[in-house]
Structure formats: C-alpha cells, structure tokens
Amino acid sequence: MLKAIIMLILGLSVLAAGFITLKRELSIEAFSISSADEAKSEMKNIFNDQRWFYLSGIALFMQFVFQGFHLTFEYFFYAFLISSGIQSLFYLFNKKELDYKVCGVIIVSFLVIYL
C-alpha cells in the first residue's frame, strides 16, 4: 500500500512539473534564431540534462541487484518513475543539487524494493 502511495506521489510530481514547464514555455514570447550555430547551441541546452540518465541507471541498478539479478519490465518502470519523480520534485522546489537527488533515488528505491 505504501509503495502505491509513493508511486502516486512521484507520478503526480512528474505531471505537475510537466504542466509548469508547459505553462512557462507558452508564456514566453517566441524568439527567433538567426544562425545555425545559435540553433545548435539552443538544442544542446535543451537536451543537455544527463542527470536523468544517471538517476535512472542508479535506480535500475538497485532494482537489479536487490531483487535477485534478473530484469523484468516492472523494474524498468519503477526505475524510470523513481528517477523522473525525484528529478521533478527537485525541479518543483527549484533545487539542482545532484548529490541530494542521488540520495533521494536510493532512499525511494529501497522503500519501493522492501515495501
């Protein structure tokens, strides 16, 4: 029961962060990019968030090791939801510390594994 509540909170935080980001993007006036170099740098800034990949890897590793060294689709689902949820919670609170995010992923992964 507690696992479902944790997953619900993480899922709702991902939705809330998505709506806030969409609202911010729609409220900003459109800007024009004058050169190809500016367009490349803008795309790099948008997609340059490797923290989600690292957090997903940590959560998936914990699922793999502590649940018996075999992978199922459920482990991938939990890992992606945990990493996305923790990252969106920190986004909602406007914090960017990676070490706190990693600790959050580890703690939530243990809660999901052992509850």
Side-chain angles (χ1 to χ4, degrees):
M1 181 68 180
L2 190 58
K3 182 195 290 191
I5 293 171
I6 291 171
M7 291 296 161
L8 179 68
I9 291 170
L10 291 175
L12 290 176
S13 69
V14 170
L15 285 175
F19 284 128
I20 289 172
T21 303
L22 180 63
K23 184 179 175 183
R24 285 182 190 163
E25 290 295 323
L26 291 176
S27 68
I28 297 175
E29 293 183 23
F31 61 94
S32 62
I33 298 175
S34 60
S35 70
D37 290 332
E38 284 184 49
K40 287 180 185 177
S41 67
E42 186 65 29
M43 289 302 288
K44 284 182 183 179
N45 288 338
I46 291 172
F47 294 115
N48 195 17
D49 191 15
Q50 298 174 350
R51 287 168 267 163
W52 180 81
F53 180 75
Y54 297 140
L55 293 176
S56 298
I58 291 168
L60 187 60
F61 176 75
M62 293 192 65
Q63 295 286 324
F64 178 72
V65 169
F66 291 109
Q67 291 201 12
F69 293 103
H70 62 283
L71 289 177
T72 63
F73 178 73
E74 182 180 16
Y75 297 165
F76 284 99
F77 173 73
Y78 286 148
F80 292 137
L81 185 59
I82 289 169
S83 63
S84 299
I86 294 295
Q87 185 142 349
S88 64
L89 281 174
F90 277 83
Y91 174 77
L92 290 174
F93 294 124
N94 206 10
K95 304 288 183 188
K96 296 184 181 188
E97 292 87 9
L98 183 60
D99 49 348
Y100 293 135
K101 289 180 185 179
V102 170
C103 291
V105 166
I106 291 170
I107 290 168
V108 172
S109 294
F110 273 123
L111 288 175
V112 168
I113 290 169
Y114 292 114
L115 294 180

